Amino acid sequence: ASIGDVALAPSNQNIIYVGTGEANIFRSSNAGAGIFKSEDAGKTWKHMGLVGTNTISRIIVHPANPDIVYVAASGTEWTDNKDRGLYKTVDGGKSWEKIFYKNEKTGVIDLVIDPKDPNTLYIATWARVRNKWNDPRTGGDYVGGSIYKSTDSGKNWKEISNGLPDVKYRGRIGIDIAGSNPNVLYAFIDNYQIIRENKDPNNVDSYGRPKGGTIKGATVYKTEDKGNTWKQVSEDSSFMEGLAATYGWVFGQIKVDPNDEKKVFIMGLSLNISRDGGKTFKEMGDFHSDNHGLWIDPANSNFMVNVNDGGIALTYDGGEHWRDFTENVPLVQFFNI
């Protein structure tokens, strides 16, 4: 019942692909059973394999051919998993080919396609394994994530990390492309660089342990040349440190307004907006904390749908006012019984 992502085929919206398994790492995340497909707008479903992926983080359907689908598999939470990677089908899910694989610890956590050139794909990788006694972290065998690009529909890949922080500091990465200008991409990086040491032994973390150093946390990087070079555009501030706190690995979602390359949204404890290309952010909306998704209508950017731990909120005026469906939509997450 855990869903990682849902994708409608742009050329035929009766065709829906659903990837199961929660892509976020929580203490209570549930694994999935691969990918499912409907060809009648959700009335009936067929199981299309990829059971071993455990979690599916993103699905992209080719804009003109609904039989060509890319599936990002982030893998298991506690153990190594050789089924991590990026998969592709050209026959509507009857068969799958793994077209990107890093290692058994590193999955593909995000995926975008160039809206003007569907042969060009970008993926973000993440060492998505956590220990049973700690939050997920980079270090040791868990090498930090990166960003890769393909210009031939996934046959070949090139790492595009010029300007990103050192790999040892890179935690979860979220990416998005500007629909109005595909030269521009943004990346949310959960940055583990220590910026202040904790010298007070009485200052403890959520588990009651003495706090380590303060990490840089949420940082936003931007490329204006399709990934050849990146630069940090977000400010280093207490606001950015607290945006996801030490829980950037729970969020990792960044979205660009498809009609305005300078309007950027990142999800964290709150939903946050930048109107200056990621330089400064502020909170928007007054709804439940822990925000995990945002959909922006490409035909009307004022219409957005936000999803968070409490439910669903809609805005029809670009975020000035929100209609909250927390009370009248029966949504709940069962943790245990």
Side-chain angles (χ1 to χ4, degrees), residues 315-332:
T315 179
Y316 301 95
D317 57 12
E320 293 296 323
H321 304 87
W322 291 87
R323 184 180 177 192
D324 196 338
F325 287 89
T326 304
E327 299 299 328
N328 56 8
V329 177
L331 299 173
V332 68

PDB file of all heavy atoms in Angstrom, residues 315-332:
ATOM      1  N   THR A 315      -4.082  25.499  -3.983  1.00  0.00           N
ATOM      2  CA  THR A 315      -4.165  26.940  -4.148  1.00  0.00           C
ATOM      3  C   THR A 315      -4.508  27.253  -5.602  1.00  0.00           C
ATOM      4  O   THR A 315      -4.042  26.572  -6.512  1.00  0.00           O
ATOM      5  CB  THR A 315      -2.858  27.645  -3.752  1.00  0.00           C
ATOM      6  OG1 THR A 315      -3.008  29.068  -3.954  1.00  0.00           O
ATOM      7  CG2 THR A 315      -1.672  27.165  -4.570  1.00  0.00           C
ATOM      8  N   TYR A 316      -5.335  28.272  -5.777  1.00  0.00           N
ATOM      9  CA  TYR A 316      -5.725  28.697  -7.118  1.00  0.00           C
ATOM     10  C   TYR A 316      -5.163  30.083  -7.443  1.00  0.00           C
ATOM     11  O   TYR A 316      -5.392  30.594  -8.537  1.00  0.00           O
ATOM     12  CB  TYR A 316      -7.250  28.733  -7.237  1.00  0.00           C
ATOM     13  CG  TYR A 316      -7.897  27.391  -6.964  1.00  0.00           C
ATOM     14  CD1 TYR A 316      -8.388  27.080  -5.698  1.00  0.00           C
ATOM     15  CD2 TYR A 316      -8.010  26.426  -7.965  1.00  0.00           C
ATOM     16  CE1 TYR A 316      -8.975  25.848  -5.436  1.00  0.00           C
ATOM     17  CE2 TYR A 316      -8.596  25.195  -7.716  1.00  0.00           C
ATOM     18  CZ  TYR A 316      -9.072  24.916  -6.451  1.00  0.00           C
ATOM     19  OH  TYR A 316      -9.647  23.687  -6.193  1.00  0.00           O
ATOM     20  N   ASP A 317      -4.430  30.675  -6.495  1.00  0.00           N
ATOM     21  CA  ASP A 317      -3.917  32.027  -6.695  1.00  0.00           C
ATOM     22  C   ASP A 317      -2.421  32.111  -6.391  1.00  0.00           C
ATOM     23  O   ASP A 317      -1.934  33.109  -5.871  1.00  0.00           O
ATOM     24  CB  ASP A 317      -4.699  33.034  -5.852  1.00  0.00           C
ATOM     25  CG  ASP A 317      -4.689  32.695  -4.364  1.00  0.00           C
ATOM     26  OD1 ASP A 317      -3.901  31.819  -3.954  1.00  0.00           O
ATOM     27  OD2 ASP A 317      -5.469  33.313  -3.606  1.00  0.00           O
ATOM     28  N   GLY A 318      -1.696  31.048  -6.717  1.00  0.00           N
ATOM     29  CA  GLY A 318      -0.244  31.071  -6.573  1.00  0.00           C
ATOM     30  C   GLY A 318       0.254  31.019  -5.151  1.00  0.00           C
ATOM     31  O   GLY A 318       1.409  31.366  -4.886  1.00  0.00           O
ATOM     32  N   GLY A 319      -0.587  30.597  -4.222  1.00  0.00           N
ATOM     33  CA  GLY A 319      -0.145  30.445  -2.845  1.00  0.00           C
ATOM     34  C   GLY A 319      -0.598  31.526  -1.899  1.00  0.00           C
ATOM     35  O   GLY A 319      -0.274  31.480  -0.706  1.00  0.00           O
ATOM     36  N   GLU A 320      -1.365  32.489  -2.404  1.00  0.00           N
ATOM     37  CA  GLU A 320      -1.885  33.530  -1.505  1.00  0.00           C
ATOM     38  C   GLU A 320      -2.895  32.932  -0.519  1.00  0.00           C
ATOM     39  O   GLU A 320      -2.938  33.294   0.650  1.00  0.00           O
ATOM     40  CB  GLU A 320      -2.547  34.645  -2.317  1.00  0.00           C
ATOM     41  CG  GLU A 320      -1.578  35.448  -3.167  1.00  0.00           C
ATOM     42  CD  GLU A 320      -0.568  36.215  -2.345  1.00  0.00           C
ATOM     43  OE1 GLU A 320      -0.941  36.727  -1.266  1.00  0.00           O
ATOM     44  OE2 GLU A 320       0.600  36.292  -2.768  1.00  0.00           O
ATOM     45  N   HIS A 321      -3.709  32.017  -1.015  1.00  0.00           N
ATOM     46  CA  HIS A 321      -4.676  31.327  -0.169  1.00  0.00           C
ATOM     47  C   HIS A 321      -4.624  29.842  -0.503  1.00  0.00           C
ATOM     48  O   HIS A 321      -4.397  29.452  -1.649  1.00  0.00           O
ATOM     49  CB  HIS A 321      -6.099  31.858  -0.417  1.00  0.00           C
ATOM     50  CG  HIS A 321      -6.233  33.329  -0.229  1.00  0.00           C
ATOM     51  ND1 HIS A 321      -5.983  34.223  -1.254  1.00  0.00           N
ATOM     52  CD2 HIS A 321      -6.571  34.075   0.860  1.00  0.00           C
ATOM     53  CE1 HIS A 321      -6.170  35.452  -0.812  1.00  0.00           C
ATOM     54  NE2 HIS A 321      -6.523  35.394   0.464  1.00  0.00           N
ATOM     55  N   TRP A 322      -4.859  29.004   0.516  1.00  0.00           N
ATOM     56  CA  TRP A 322      -4.830  27.549   0.334  1.00  0.00           C
ATOM     57  C   TRP A 322      -6.138  26.952   0.833  1.00  0.00           C
ATOM     58  O   TRP A 322      -6.693  27.402   1.832  1.00  0.00           O
ATOM     59  CB  TRP A 322      -3.666  26.922   1.108  1.00  0.00           C
ATOM     60  CG  TRP A 322      -2.316  27.270   0.543  1.00  0.00           C
ATOM     61  CD1 TRP A 322      -1.566  28.367   0.849  1.00  0.00           C
ATOM     62  CD2 TRP A 322      -1.569  26.514  -0.411  1.00  0.00           C
ATOM     63  NE1 TRP A 322      -0.384  28.340   0.140  1.00  0.00           N
ATOM     64  CE2 TRP A 322      -0.366  27.225  -0.640  1.00  0.00           C
ATOM     65  CE3 TRP A 322      -1.802  25.323  -1.101  1.00  0.00           C
ATOM     66  CZ2 TRP A 322       0.612  26.768  -1.526  1.00  0.00           C
ATOM     67  CZ3 TRP A 322      -0.832  24.860  -1.982  1.00  0.00           C
ATOM     68  CH2 TRP A 322       0.354  25.580  -2.193  1.00  0.00           C
ATOM     69  N   ARG A 323      -6.608  25.952   0.133  1.00  0.00           N
ATOM     70  CA  ARG A 323      -7.769  25.178   0.568  1.00  0.00           C
ATOM     71  C   ARG A 323      -7.251  23.846   1.103  1.00  0.00           C
ATOM     72  O   ARG A 323      -6.674  23.044   0.365  1.00  0.00           O
ATOM     73  CB  ARG A 323      -8.714  24.957  -0.619  1.00  0.00           C
ATOM     74  CG  ARG A 323     -10.003  24.246  -0.250  1.00  0.00           C
ATOM     75  CD  ARG A 323     -10.868  24.064  -1.489  1.00  0.00           C
ATOM     76  NE  ARG A 323     -12.096  23.324  -1.165  1.00  0.00           N
ATOM     77  CZ  ARG A 323     -12.913  22.835  -2.080  1.00  0.00           C
ATOM     78  NH1 ARG A 323     -12.637  22.981  -3.367  1.00  0.00           N
ATOM     79  NH2 ARG A 323     -13.991  22.180  -1.719  1.00  0.00           N
ATOM     80  N   ASP A 324      -7.449  23.639   2.383  1.00  0.00           N
ATOM     81  CA  ASP A 324      -6.883  22.478   3.070  1.00  0.00           C
ATOM     82  C   ASP A 324      -7.906  21.352   3.133  1.00  0.00           C
ATOM     83  O   ASP A 324      -9.025  21.544   3.593  1.00  0.00           O
ATOM     84  CB  ASP A 324      -6.449  22.884   4.483  1.00  0.00           C
ATOM     85  CG  ASP A 324      -5.523  21.864   5.118  1.00  0.00           C
ATOM     86  OD1 ASP A 324      -5.537  20.705   4.686  1.00  0.00           O
ATOM     87  OD2 ASP A 324      -4.785  22.240   6.038  1.00  0.00           O
ATOM     88  N   PHE A 325      -7.493  20.166   2.664  1.00  0.00           N
ATOM     89  CA  PHE A 325      -8.393  19.017   2.660  1.00  0.00           C
ATOM     90  C   PHE A 325      -8.086  18.039   3.795  1.00  0.00           C
ATOM     91  O   PHE A 325      -8.488  16.897   3.757  1.00  0.00           O
ATOM     92  CB  PHE A 325      -8.302  18.280   1.315  1.00  0.00           C
ATOM     93  CG  PHE A 325      -8.964  19.022   0.191  1.00  0.00           C
ATOM     94  CD1 PHE A 325      -8.248  19.933  -0.559  1.00  0.00           C
ATOM     95  CD2 PHE A 325     -10.294  18.826  -0.103  1.00  0.00           C
ATOM     96  CE1 PHE A 325      -8.846  20.626  -1.601  1.00  0.00           C
ATOM     97  CE2 PHE A 325     -10.909  19.513  -1.140  1.00  0.00           C
ATOM     98  CZ  PHE A 325     -10.180  20.416  -1.888  1.00  0.00           C
ATOM     99  N   THR A 326      -7.377  18.512   4.807  1.00  0.00           N
ATOM    100  CA  THR A 326      -6.995  17.623   5.908  1.00  0.00           C
ATOM    101  C   THR A 326      -8.222  17.061   6.621  1.00  0.00           C
ATOM    102  O   THR A 326      -8.253  15.890   7.009  1.00  0.00           O
ATOM    103  CB  THR A 326      -6.119  18.391   6.920  1.00  0.00           C
ATOM    104  OG1 THR A 326      -4.995  18.930   6.232  1.00  0.00           O
ATOM    105  CG2 THR A 326      -5.652  17.461   8.024  1.00  0.00           C
ATOM    106  N   GLU A 327      -9.264  17.877   6.779  1.00  0.00           N
ATOM    107  CA  GLU A 327     -10.397  17.472   7.601  1.00  0.00           C
ATOM    108  C   GLU A 327     -11.384  16.562   6.875  1.00  0.00           C
ATOM    109  O   GLU A 327     -11.995  15.687   7.476  1.00  0.00           O
ATOM    110  CB  GLU A 327     -11.138  18.719   8.114  1.00  0.00           C
ATOM    111  CG  GLU A 327     -10.279  19.641   8.983  1.00  0.00           C
ATOM    112  CD  GLU A 327      -9.789  18.948  10.237  1.00  0.00           C
ATOM    113  OE1 GLU A 327     -10.512  18.072  10.763  1.00  0.00           O
ATOM    114  OE2 GLU A 327      -8.679  19.277  10.697  1.00  0.00           O
ATOM    115  N   ASN A 328     -11.564  16.762   5.555  1.00  0.00           N
ATOM    116  CA  ASN A 328     -12.664  16.054   4.903  1.00  0.00           C
ATOM    117  C   ASN A 328     -12.217  14.998   3.892  1.00  0.00           C
ATOM    118  O   ASN A 328     -13.023  14.476   3.139  1.00  0.00           O
ATOM    119  CB  ASN A 328     -13.618  17.047   4.224  1.00  0.00           C
ATOM    120  CG  ASN A 328     -12.907  17.944   3.231  1.00  0.00           C
ATOM    121  OD1 ASN A 328     -11.743  17.730   2.943  1.00  0.00           O
ATOM    122  ND2 ASN A 328     -13.607  18.947   2.720  1.00  0.00           N
ATOM    123  N   VAL A 329     -10.939  14.696   3.852  1.00  0.00           N
ATOM    124  CA  VAL A 329     -10.454  13.562   3.057  1.00  0.00           C
ATOM    125  C   VAL A 329      -9.877  12.539   4.029  1.00  0.00           C
ATOM    126  O   VAL A 329      -8.988  12.858   4.815  1.00  0.00           O
ATOM    127  CB  VAL A 329      -9.384  13.990   2.040  1.00  0.00           C
ATOM    128  CG1 VAL A 329      -8.848  12.785   1.283  1.00  0.00           C
ATOM    129  CG2 VAL A 329      -9.972  14.995   1.056  1.00  0.00           C
ATOM    130  N   PRO A 330     -10.382  11.307   4.030  1.00  0.00           N
ATOM    131  CA  PRO A 330      -9.997  10.329   5.046  1.00  0.00           C
ATOM    132  C   PRO A 330      -8.609   9.731   4.772  1.00  0.00           C
ATOM    133  O   PRO A 330      -8.478   8.617   4.295  1.00  0.00           O
ATOM    134  CB  PRO A 330     -11.082   9.266   4.969  1.00  0.00           C
ATOM    135  CG  PRO A 330     -11.536   9.320   3.542  1.00  0.00           C
ATOM    136  CD  PRO A 330     -11.435  10.760   3.135  1.00  0.00           C
ATOM    137  N   LEU A 331      -7.566  10.498   5.073  1.00  0.00           N
ATOM    138  CA  LEU A 331      -6.206  10.044   4.874  1.00  0.00           C
ATOM    139  C   LEU A 331      -5.577   9.723   6.236  1.00  0.00           C
ATOM    140  O   LEU A 331      -5.735  10.463   7.187  1.00  0.00           O
ATOM    141  CB  LEU A 331      -5.369  11.130   4.200  1.00  0.00           C
ATOM    142  CG  LEU A 331      -5.838  11.587   2.816  1.00  0.00           C
ATOM    143  CD1 LEU A 331      -5.009  12.782   2.356  1.00  0.00           C
ATOM    144  CD2 LEU A 331      -5.727  10.450   1.823  1.00  0.00           C
ATOM    145  N   VAL A 332      -4.866   8.607   6.273  1.00  0.00           N
ATOM    146  CA  VAL A 332      -4.178   8.238   7.524  1.00  0.00           C
ATOM    147  C   VAL A 332      -3.029   7.305   7.171  1.00  0.00           C
ATOM    148  O   VAL A 332      -3.062   6.613   6.154  1.00  0.00           O
ATOM    149  CB  VAL A 332      -5.157   7.548   8.505  1.00  0.00           C
ATOM    150  CG1 VAL A 332      -5.594   6.196   8.002  1.00  0.00           C
ATOM    151  CG2 VAL A 332      -4.534   7.405   9.897  1.00  0.00           C
TER     152      VAL A 332
END
